[in-house]
Amino acid sequence: MNPIRVWMHRLACTAVGVLFGGAAVAAQPPGYACATAHPLATQACMEILAGGGNAFDAAVAASAAIAVVEPTGSGLGGGGFWLLHRQADALDVFIDGRETAPAAASRDMYLDADGQADSKRSRFGPLAAGIPGEPAALEHIAEHYGSLPLSTVLAPAIRYAADGFAVDAKLAGAIERFAGTMSPAARAVFLKNEHPLGVGELLQQPDLAWTLRRLASEGAEDFYRGQIAQRLLAAVHEAGGGWSAEDLARYAIVERAPIVSWFLGNRIVSSPPPSAGGLALAQVLQQLEVLGWRDDGTPASRHLLIETLRRAYRDRAAWLGDPDFVHIPLMHLASRSYARELARSIDPARATPSSALPPAVPSSEGYNTTHLSVLDAAGNRVAATLSINLPFGSGLMAAGTGVLLNDEMDDFSSAPGVANAYGLVGSEPNSIAPLKRPLSSMTPTFVEGPRGLLIVGTPGGSRIVTMVIQAVLAWIGGAELRDVVEAPRLHQQYLPDVVELEPDYADASAQAALSAMGYTLKLSERPWGNMQAVAWYPARGEIDAASDPRAVGQAAVAAVRKQD
């Protein structure tokens, strides 16, 4: 009997799905596919699928593997969201493995003697870490949706941790940049003779392999109540943190109903609160449909997209937080009538200053996150976005476990109007409270429509939602999958009132046209995101997968011979 409690919140959220209705892609794909942020995680995913596992088994394997090989993006000391579709009964379910605040947390815990927020305490060290959710989520998915033992699906991750793997350029750069924030246990792993591991050097994590073996043999019970828990608590207490044994023991996965919306005959299934992503998708796409928007690449088209984003992000700031702690009028905010109201406030020729909208202040999490997309030959699928927030989380590694603890407490609003690590200020619905889950932008998404099926998501902090929206629009508009994940991106998030553009997003004349409409443009010095996508085209009898070329990920597709 699994001792980890599971809270069932389907009935509380189902009304949104009923509002929009639903229909699923029929038949079965001609094979299976996976896209993740690292080739070894993709290899683990495909290994499990080839060995008879389903998409849920493969997602657990890839999630555990990415925790080993991409420690900047996620880990057992963090959490995430897993969006699942079970083809046999058309079940869509959202697995909420987000971190929770410890019982000792308080809304003013990061304020100094002068009442000013101390950002270092919310980002680095033991006070920055929420109670991890990933181990509980992996076990829950394996037990309730998978077909293979947890020990089998964790085997690739254990192998990568024990045997080691070659450090890539992205990881080497992150180790060098963040070595100064790491605890002694973490430095012992990622540095050699006090020098950061470089490209091509072998990274072995024997303590993390021990933890994964304990999970494989004893289950998540050991992480939350057993030997792993004891080591976690010892590390946090030694560093001056306030976790308790009860904090770990009471952690519970929440199953929630996804938000389901419609756009031009396509059914969009995405994340509910405590993610802001699914609601933003519903709001933006419905506004665009009301406006008769066409993706023609003109300044007028970009203008309407930017304005719909501005309004969705304003509502995020005003309303969203942990639905177990704050009331969210989700039915109203996701309704088409409200989308019409928002669309009517858009000037077709001029930018609306964010200061002209009803005031609200936003909150978001960091860009060092990860995503994976999986489709199996039966049509089961998973879109999962995972995080530990800043690279290497809080920098605190629990000695003897290899587990880096997250710094997701920085995703809460430490004080009204105070910016987090990514320049965004806080809001009351996302204030700190014991056992509460911080608001997130993670947006794992399915799209079902005339073209077929899209499974998509990305890291990117506050930019996640805008990236997923642009991917959905491009794919529905007919773009091939590689073009969807490669295309340059824009971003607008209400506050600060600027439009960010990736390098090469638009030429000088297009930028001048947007400036003439009243927009303040900010050209990014580097690209953002790391999108992972899988598509199934029933009419073509094909599946496809694509990994963002901005990073080191990999996509893979395998055909399956159908029996007569």
Side-chain angles (χ1 to χ4, degrees):
M1 178 68 179
N2 179 10
I4 305 299
R5 293 178 296 119
V6 180
W7 298 347
M8 303 298 290
H9 282 209
R10 292 176 181 164
L11 292 178
C13 302
T14 299
V16 175
V18 172
L19 173 68
F20 295 114
V25 174
Q28 291 182 346
Y32 51 85
C34 185
T36 83
H38 195 283
L40 290 177
T42 300
Q43 180 179 311
C45 182
M46 297 296 282
E47 177 182 322
I48 295 300
L49 289 169
N54 61 25
F56 316 121
D57 297 312
V60 171
S63 298
I66 206 74
V68 176
V69 299
E70 194 195 28
T72 55
S74 67
L76 298 180
F81 300 137
W82 290 257
L83 180 63
L84 278 54
H85 173 85
R86 188 170 59 199
Q87 187 76 344
D89 57 0
L91 171 70
D92 290 317
V93 62
F94 182 81
I95 307 299
D96 180 352
R98 186 72 162 149
E99 301 87 348
T100 58
S106 65
R107 62 181 298 130
D108 299 331
M109 64 185 291
Y110 300 121
L111 303 185
D112 61 20
D114 297 324
Q116 301 299 309
D118 183 350
S119 60
K120 290 183 179 179
R121 295 169 65 195
S122 66
R123 299 171 193 172
F124 305 107
L127 294 179
I131 305 303
E134 181 160 333
L138 297 185
E139 179 182 71
H140 178 78
I141 295 168
E143 286 191 350
H144 294 272
Y145 300 97
S147 61
L148 300 176
L150 187 61
S151 58
T152 300
V153 296
L154 292 184
I158 294 170
R159 187 168 68 244
Y160 300 154
D163 297 345
F165 62 96
V167 173
D168 58 66
K170 178 185 174 184
L171 179 55
I175 294 172
E176 184 173 6
R177 288 195 306 274
F178 288 89
T181 68
M182 294 180 182
S183 68
R187 291 177 66 86
V189 172
F190 298 109
L191 280 70
K192 183 177 181 180
N193 298 324
E194 286 303 306
H195 293 286
L197 290 176
V199 176
E201 291 194 79
L202 187 68
L203 172 55
Q204 292 178 294
Q205 302 172 78
D207 288 342
L208 185 55
W210 174 84
T211 296
L212 286 163
R213 289 190 186 102
R214 294 288 300 180
L215 287 175
S217 61
E218 307 300 323
E221 168 77 0
D222 199 69
F223 189 95
Y224 294 96
R225 298 173 186 263
Q227 290 188 34
I228 302 173
Q230 293 172 14
R231 296 187 183 187
L232 294 174
L233 289 169
V236 170
H237 293 165
E238 181 179 354
W243 284 13
S244 70
E246 290 74 19
D247 288 329
L248 286 169
R250 72 163 58 95
Y251 185 84
I253 291 301
V254 184
E255 287 202 352
R256 305 185 191 274
I259 287 183
V260 181
S261 57
W262 288 87
F263 175 70
L264 298 179
N266 291 268
R267 181 176 182 259
I268 319 295
V269 183
S270 194
S271 48
S275 168
L279 177 61
L281 275 170
Q283 290 188 328
V284 168
L285 296 179
Q286 289 184 105
Q287 287 179 76
L288 291 176
E289 190 164 18
V290 166
L291 292 164
W293 181 83
R294 293 179 58 232
D295 188 8
D296 56 14
T298 62
S301 171
R302 291 173 174 138
H303 162 63
L304 293 181
L305 175 59
I306 292 168
E307 291 304 313
T308 60
L309 290 169
R310 185 195 308 274
R311 285 151 178 80
Y313 272 82
R314 183 267 163 200
D315 277 357
R316 169 207 172 103
W319 293 105
L320 298 190
D322 186 339
D324 300 325
F325 284 75
V326 297
H327 171 66
I328 303 171
L330 203 55
M331 289 288 289
H332 169 66
L333 295 173
S335 68
R336 187 165 291 271
S337 61
Y338 182 63
R340 292 192 187 98
E341 180 183 333
L342 293 176
R344 281 195 296 269
S345 70
I346 296 175
D347 184 327
R350 295 287 300 173
T352 303
S354 291
S355 59
L357 298 178
V361 285
S363 172
S364 181
E365 87 283 0
Y367 55 81
N368 292 284
T369 300
T370 196
H371 181 85
L372 58 96
S373 295
V374 187
L375 173 71
D376 70 19
N380 301 307
R381 50 194 179 264
V382 178
T385 312
L386 322 172
S387 183
I388 53 172
N389 203 22
L390 289 170
F392 308 103
S394 65
L396 176 61
M397 178 178 284
T401 70
V403 174
L404 282 162
L405 300 183
N406 67 85
D407 60 342
E408 298 287 5
M409 292 295 289
D410 190 59
D411 286 359
F412 283 115
S413 304
S414 58
V418 173
N420 72 356
Y422 301 91
L424 297 177
V425 292
S427 60
E428 180 59 30
N430 193 37
S431 60
I432 302 169
L435 314 184
K436 191 176 182 182
R437 297 172 191 240
L439 185 62
S440 172
S441 292
M442 295 186 289
T443 313
T445 298
F446 303 145
V447 180
E448 302 169 356
R451 291 196 78 192
L453 169 71
L454 173 68
I455 307 168
V456 69
T458 182
S462 60
R463 302 183 183 110
I464 289 175
V465 179
T466 56
M467 285 188 281
V468 171
I469 287 170
Q470 288 167 90
V472 169
L473 291 171
W475 189 79
I476 289 175
E480 291 301 317
L481 201 59
R482 180 168 296 279
D483 296 328
V484 168
V485 303
E486 290 184 357
R489 298 151 180 164
L490 66 75
H491 175 67
Q492 214 287 343
Q493 62 182 39
Y494 171 62
L495 292 177
D497 193 354
V498 298
V499 178
E500 294 183 86
L501 303 177
E502 263 195 320
D504 303 324
Y505 176 79
D507 59 25
S509 62
Q511 293 177 24
L514 289 173
S515 296
M517 291 179 175
Y519 291 109
T520 299
L521 304 182
K522 179 181 178 182
L523 300 181
S524 175
E525 296 180 354
R526 61 178 180 82
W528 59 74
N530 191 5
M531 188 170 290
Q532 310 297 326
V534 169
W536 168 23
Y537 305 96
R540 289 158 40 178
E542 296 177 359
I543 54 177
D544 195 9
S547 183
D548 202 322
R550 293 166 178 81
V552 299
Q554 185 179 77
V557 176
V560 173
R561 182 184 297 275
K562 300 291 185 180
Q563 292 185 352
D564 296 333

